[in-house]
């Protein structure tokens, strides 16, 4: 039975974006547990006459329908990786810079706070806006709330440009590398290790593959003016039956991060050509996304926020928009190297400057 | 409460050695569960006036004290590896050869049956005899019943020659290779695989070690006239944190089977010299045993049983006797390649010919 003496605190979106960041970080929302935060978001926007609010599971969409010539989608995920004794948030000052520290401050409630504040405030933006705050980004792809929304409501995925609020140090990061994981298997013949010449050692047969990986110099490939650095790495190796047995099977798990000028199919072809003598099993694959910075709105956005465009190395949901033909970039406060870190922390000035830059662009002031 | 209507069957050591093999195989005695069989052995020998019977746990010693000039130790283990739906035993004929099939028939109740029969029968052997049937051979070395007996009753380990009844196809197998297992560790720096150049891949750092193993040609070394074939092999490899992480540690598990002209210390020195750039941890080490075939009794035994002496590759308890200065060989029925196999089976003719050969030597008829 609810206790009327301690009602759930409402989310006040008229506060500044640092205060909003703190408020929404202090409502834990590890993947799978986003309902409370999604409820708060719906409540906070319910009275905004300029917004149509749509709920799908724990994903909340809010959009304007002002008949503008162009529409921009701005999205961020509500979930975080697990808390590791780093909530509630607290402020700290390091080398004169003020930070808000705690789980989610960087990835990515700082960006979400900026978006929520502007969603409520901007009743007359110069473009129509579709805001999307979604669940289950930090877990396996099939649970992703944005993916689910695209299946349930493909009609919502229309727009001329999309911005993901993923941490990018307040810069614009375009596109992302594709991601391929595959297993290479070598086979041999099992034998007692006291008579090893009777067997055929599968671990020894992995040597050429590991050699090739160790010697490989990953390329840097320019796509739409941005330089994407690739990576080809062993991320796991297993083999062995017992201390006295010549192993008949060994497996090398390889991760290939490839520039967005290649498709997944081309990346697989490349991998097969590089390791022709092994059994190759693809275990995960995600297309990359071209930066899309040749789109007029994208160029205007980069100029307006006064940022330099850079490539994004990690895979993000910009790829989903890219796949739907909507140019998309990452733009949010926070150092991506602090994402998922136990000392995750965002510089409060970065949150505020992102707020200012996005407001200026969306109101035509920039 | 015991049921007097179904008494435990006694072990009849006047039967032929094939029948005794069947009887003792059908009393399951997986390592740790040898008590019933040890009880039967003690009972079966209790009335033999020429034997002093000593019990230590589930190890049974029976010895003559006839004042002979020389003493021979003859030993065998009572335990087996786990049963895999291969008991009770049954006879089968393959290509005209009759076999007794089932767990323990080869490793090594065929040999034990021959020993038990002759222990009871030979009241006037030409040498004094110390028979030892022991527990826990098939598990880790610290449980080994022969090792425990050597700690409890070192006085029993005197003799001029020792015979282990391990399967050797009825031939004489001398000495054994030493056995060294060690782990090689490579270290790197963990990083997100989307920015692999920030890290240092520990799995890639294993490549030279696996290369070296794959390229290594194991030596064959002559010791006391027998050629020992060595082996140097990876028996395990592990590394990896997650599919998106550059691993900071990887481990290669290596097994070195070395000829008995080297000590464990020399084998370790060899390994360190071969893999100088890795952290090396010894996880298991056992000295080999020189064949000891230059001892007069050993030479006489080989001639008497009409066998050709061969090297033994697997480590056996002959090394314990060798370490105590007692020359020791393996001599028993059964093909060692069938030891531990699900279709373990011994040719009944081999059991009988071992019985005849051993009797002839011990009675001076050979």
């Amino acid at each position: 039975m609810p206790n009327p003496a301690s009602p759930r605190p409402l989310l006040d979106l008229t506060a500044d974006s640092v205060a909003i960041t703190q408020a929404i970080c202090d409502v834990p929302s590890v993947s799978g547990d986003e309902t409370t935060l999604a409820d708060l978001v719906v409540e906070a926007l319910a009275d905004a006459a300029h917004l149509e609010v749509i709920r799908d599971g724990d994903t909340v969409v809010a959009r304007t329908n002002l008949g503008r010539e162009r529409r921009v989608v701005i999205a961020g995920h509500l979930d975080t990786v697990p808390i590791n004794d780093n909530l509630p948030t607290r402020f700290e000052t390091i080398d004169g810079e003020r930070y808000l520290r705690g789980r989610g401050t960087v990835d990515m409630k700082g960006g979400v706070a900026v978006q929520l504040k502007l969603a409520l405030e901007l009743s007359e933006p110069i473009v129509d806006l579709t805001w999307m705050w979604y669940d289950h980004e930090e877990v396996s792809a099939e649970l992703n709330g944005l993916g689910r929304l695209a299946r349930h409501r493909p009609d919502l995925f229309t727009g001329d440009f999309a911005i993901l609020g993923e941490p990018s140090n307040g810069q614009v990061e375009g596109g992302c590398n594709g991601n391929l994981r595959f297993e290479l298997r070598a086979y041999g013949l099992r034998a007692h290790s006291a008579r090893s010449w009777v067997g055929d050692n599968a671990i020894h047969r992995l040597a050429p593959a590991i050699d090739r990986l160790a010697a490989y110099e990953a390329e840097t490939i320019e796509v739409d003016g941005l330089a994407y650095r690739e990576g080809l790495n062993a991320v796991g190796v297993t083999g062995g039956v017992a201390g006295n047995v010549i192993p008949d099977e060994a497996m090398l798990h390889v991760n290939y991060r490839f520039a967005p000028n290649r498709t997944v199919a081309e990346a697989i072809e490349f991998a097969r050509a590089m390791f022709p003598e092994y059994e190759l099993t693809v275990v995960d694959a995600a297309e990359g996304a071209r930066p899309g910075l040749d789109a007029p709105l994208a160029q205007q956005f980069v100029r307006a926020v006064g940022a330099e465009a850079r490539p994004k190395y990690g895979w993000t949901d910009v790829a989903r928009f890219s796949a739907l033909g909507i140019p998309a970039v990452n733009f949010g406060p926070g150092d991506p190297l602090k994402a998922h870190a136990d000392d995750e922390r965002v510089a409060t000035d970065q949150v505020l400057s992102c707020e200012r830059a996005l407001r200026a662009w969306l109101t035509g002031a920039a």
Side-chain angles (χ1 to χ4, degrees), chain A residues 5-91:
Chain A
S6 60
R8 192 176 50 196
L10 290 182
L11 180 58
D12 176 10
L13 297 182
T14 64
D16 74 74
S17 51
V18 172
I20 299 171
T21 302
Q22 182 168 38
I24 63 178
C25 284
D26 290 344
V27 177
S29 57
V30 176
S31 311
D33 197 23
E34 301 95 336
T35 305
T36 304
L37 183 54
D39 288 347
L40 283 172
V41 168
V42 168
E43 263 175 32
L45 298 174
D47 295 336
H50 64 290
L51 291 175
E52 175 194 6
V53 177
I54 298 150
R55 175 103 179 226
D56 180 275
D58 288 332
T59 288
V60 181
V61 177
R63 62 174 177 178
T64 64
N65 296 298
L66 303 166
R68 302 287 193 249
E69 220 171 286
R70 287 180 295 193
R71 178 174 289 277
V72 171
V73 181
I74 305 182
H77 62 84
L78 295 176
D79 61 321
T80 70
V81 296
I83 296 158
N84 190 7
D85 211 16
N86 51 6
L87 277 188
T89 53
R90 62 175 199 263
F91 288 98

Side-chain angles (χ1 to χ4, degrees), chain A residues 270-335:
Chain A
F270 170 85
R272 288 198 195 279
M274 185 158 176
F275 303 103
E277 74 271 49
Y278 296 96
E279 181 184 295
L280 187 154
T281 312
V282 172
V283 291
D284 196 17
E287 299 285 354
R290 297 184 75 100
L293 291 172
D294 40 0
L297 262 179
Q299 291 178 350
Q300 191 205 334
F301 175 71
V302 172
R303 276 196 309 275
V305 301
E308 192 192 337
R310 298 174 182 172
K312 184 82 176 173
Y313 288 116
W315 194 93
T316 76
D317 278 315
V318 298
R320 291 184 195 277
F321 291 101
S322 181
L324 294 166
I326 305 173
V329 298
N330 296 285
F331 173 71
D335 180 348

